[in-house]
Amino acid sequence: MRKALIPLMLVVFAFNSPSSSAESRPLEKKSIVGQIETINVQDLELEYKARVDTGANTSSINAYDIRVLGDKSDDMRENLGNMVEFKTKNEKGETTTHKAKIVKVSKIRNAQGVERRYAVKMDLSWNGEHKQVTVNLRNRSKLEFKLLLGRNWLMGDYLVDVEKSDEDD
């Protein structure tokens, strides 16, 4: 019984998957990315070495000194729609301050437990291809990669080849 359910679940997932939507490129037109890619964050005018993570739903960028502007609430969900200001630094040590509208408050489960994060829209560019995605704000200063590309960036446009290096572009 269990063996019969697995193929059925894959078919159901394929037809209900957002990647099968009208916005998705045909397979032969999808770009191939590696595990690590150089991404230009247009809104910040900074380049990041990014880690592609198919296990992460939402992309994440190094952000610190995060401050909600205007009327703010202790309940992060009530700040949805407000502006947020944050600082960011890429792996080269280049820094900038940015303001953006909070478009989402995510509940993230990880090894440290559960945390809430603000998310903003950002224009991420790879090899001249632009994609506007939701990016959550998290202090990634102690992590090797200051930008993590999740499935929301990959979906519909990119396939991952773990053997491809950034220099192959």
Side-chain angles (χ1 to χ4, degrees), residues 1 6 9-10 33 40-42 54 58 63 79-80 100 102 116 126 130 145-147 153-154 161 165:
M1 176 73 173
I6 293 173
M9 288 174 21
L10 291 174
V33 296
N40 189 328
V41 181
Q42 299 292 308
T54 61
T58 306
N79 293 322
L80 196 61
I102 300 169
R116 291 202 182 271
W126 174 77
H130 292 261
F145 296 97
K146 309 307 180 208
L147 178 62
W153 182 77
L154 292 166
D161 178 351
S165 76

Side-chain angles (χ1 to χ4, degrees), residues 43-44 67-69 81-86 97-103 119-122 137:
D43 308 77
L44 306 175
R67 187 169 67 93
V68 176
L69 304 176
N82 288 355
M83 295 297 285
V84 65
E85 181 179 73
F86 61 93
T97 301
H98 185 66
K99 292 179 189 174
K101 182 179 175 180
I102 300 169
V103 297
V120 299
K121 289 278 188 189
M122 289 191 164
L137 307 178

